Amino acid sequence: MEKNKKEALFAELGKYSIDISKLVFGGVILAGIMKLDVNKLALFGLGILVVIATLITGLIFIALSNSKN
């Protein structure tokens, strides 16, 4: 794959992962304020883990797209 295409692909994957992170965060907050019978600790714990994982993944992809190799 060409270097420019690879950089563009990594940049888009990074943006996509960060967008997924924001959507999961919003979903966790909405689910937390609704009057549902769910375990709040599990909801927020798992939600925060997924948000952090997708955010870090997105930042790694963006860093790879900006690398000069």
Side-chain angles (χ1 to χ4, degrees):
M1 188 182 292
E2 288 183 25
K3 185 178 179 185
N4 291 338
K5 288 183 182 179
K6 192 181 224 183
E7 288 175 357
L9 179 65
F10 283 155
E12 289 300 316
L13 282 172
K15 291 177 193 176
Y16 180 75
S17 293
I18 291 173
D19 286 343
I20 294 296
S21 175
K22 291 185 279 188
L23 288 171
V24 169
F25 181 74
V28 167
I29 297 299
L30 285 175
I33 63 173
M34 296 176 89
K35 304 272 189 226
L36 299 175
D37 188 27
V38 295
N39 184 354
K40 301 267 187 195
L41 183 62
L43 173 70
F44 288 115
L46 187 61
I48 293 298
L49 287 176
V50 171
V51 167
I52 290 171
T54 54
L55 179 65
I56 289 173
T57 303
L59 293 174
I60 289 171
F61 278 131
I62 289 175
L64 287 174
S65 73
N66 293 332
S67 67
K68 299 299 178 193
N69 293 334

